[in-house]
Amino acid sequence: MHPNPRQIKLLNRLQGSGSCSLETLAGDLDVTVQTVRRDVQRLAEANLLVRFHGGVRLPNSTIENIAYRQRAQLHASEKERIAQAIAREIPNDCSLLINIGTTTEAIARALSNHTGLRIITNNVNVAYTLGRQPGCEVILAGGSVRPRDLGIVGEATVEFIRQFRADIALMGISGIEADGTLRDYDFREVKVSQAIMQSAREVWMAADISKFHRPAMVRLGELSQIDRLFTNAHPPEPFPDLLKAAGVDCVIAP
């Protein structure tokens, strides 16, 4: 399904709280409980949330991410703010490694006025966006194309990425757990992301506030492997201390 704006707002509300009563959602959205109940029914049928007696919650699966099209719409304004903050820090005439993700696709759009960039990516959507810019050179990794989001993964992709040494890696992430581990859902995607991190002089990660305390099955790395973290609000506990201990520069997008 393609959620309408009200349903997207409902899902964003759950991203912030994890669970909520139907009455609270009705008040937050300024609609009737009956309207919320109909929206919840449709979203539950699409496996975007789980109903329980008197309320709803996110699926909170550690093994499967939310569908790509829904992820692209969730927290869209926050991702755009983060993307603009990163774009302001990226100099012209530098090399970038960019991984799979809806946030990194927002970053690619925000880089449209840059010149002299050389981009290596395993994200077909990023390549399409920046490949049309006359001031950019895009190198697209080889490998298996994942149909659901046009990400390129596999051992061939890992070996391809390892040929390069870029100035900055721009990374999206599915979840950051309370012990400081970076996590994602697809083992093949994680192997490529690890290669990207190892092939850059600096690692910048983009993560909206919903990614904190979000579980996922596959370990990608640790906060200590990141140089800068860009987000849209002050991270919840215990992340401020974890970021400080790891020496990560945390940038809050305005």
Side-chain angles (χ1 to χ4, degrees), residues 233-253:
H234 291 284
E237 296 294 338
F239 294 103
D241 288 342
L242 290 176
L243 291 165
K244 183 177 180 181
V248 179
D249 176 25
C250 184
V251 179
I252 311 299

Side-chain angles (χ1 to χ4, degrees), residues 175-188:
I176 308 174
E177 296 210 28
D179 60 357
T181 58
L182 311 172
R183 294 196 169 270
D184 225 308
Y185 293 90
D186 187 322
F187 178 77
R188 296 180 304 162

